[in-house]
Amino acid sequence: MSDTDLLPILLVPDARLRAKARPVGPGDAEAVRALAPRMLATMYKAPGIGLAAPQIGELLRLVVIDLQPEDQPQPYVMVNPEIVAASTGLAAREEGCLSLPNQYAEVTRPAEVKVRWQDLDGSRREMQADGLLATCIQHEIDHLNGVLFVDHISALKRNMLLRKLAKELKGRQRDGE
Ligand code: GNR
Ligand code: NI
């Protein structure tokens, strides 16, 4: 099995997308080193700008992010990421999710966040993010808590979107995709 073998991305309503992921511990170092490159390859192929371990069925606090998949790769691998500060100022942005293909909605979140994580060597890292990166970090950390972007919109919009998704996935299944 190669480093870059792609992993299947779980789709709503898979129960694993609603579970709380557990922290990565010292005993997970090897698993995380093996998973990270495969998660990045899966994200680039999708294509997406982020992927959280629960989306590939691993209930670990691990995310990968790269905002520039087409240009020069700038991958972040975040182990046990935490938002340690969030701005009071909010920003609205259209979000999508690889676990809810072809569904989009405007989500309002803190415009800037400070995130702390460990890298693959176990070094502590911290950065301040704004713009799309801030949105993506919050979206990925939500996944670690079983939260999806549709949980941030009105029940009416959420139900419309989930029904549309179910219908489209049923169509796919019928067409043998
Ligand atoms: O690829 C993705 N694009 C995106 C766009 C706006 C806000 C968040 C995202 S993350 C998403 C990939 C994904 O589902 N990550 O969990
Ligand atoms: Ni997502």
Side-chain angles (χ1 to χ4, degrees), residues 19-129:
K20 190 174 163 75
R22 68 169 176 84
V24 171
D28 300 311
E30 207 170 316
V32 163
R33 276 190 181 282
L35 271 174
R38 299 182 70 197
M39 286 176 61
L40 281 164
T42 301
M43 177 190 78
Y44 290 135
K45 178 76 195 308
I49 59 170
L51 189 68
Q55 292 182 278
I56 50 100
E58 294 286 342
L59 295 181
L60 284 171
R61 303 190 78 82
L62 167 67
V63 312
V64 297
I65 293 176
D66 193 338
L67 296 195
Q68 295 122 291
E70 289 148 46
D71 205 35
Q72 298 195 101
Q74 199 187 322
Y76 287 99
V77 175
M78 297 183 173
V79 172
N80 296 331
E82 277 180 87
I83 305 285
V84 294
S87 63
T88 52
L90 305 177
R93 188 177 297 276
E94 180 103 321
E95 296 195 22
C97 182
L98 296 172
S99 296
L100 295 92
N102 300 314
Q103 312 304 319
Y104 304 92
E106 187 159 283
V107 175
T108 299
R109 302 180 184 269
E112 290 183 52
V113 293
K114 187 198 273 187
V115 60
R116 202 172 275 165
W117 74 98
Q118 288 154 256
D119 65 19
L120 282 178
D121 301 319
S123 304
R124 295 209 160 279
R125 303 275 308 271
E126 193 175 286
M127 84 174 158
Q128 185 88 24

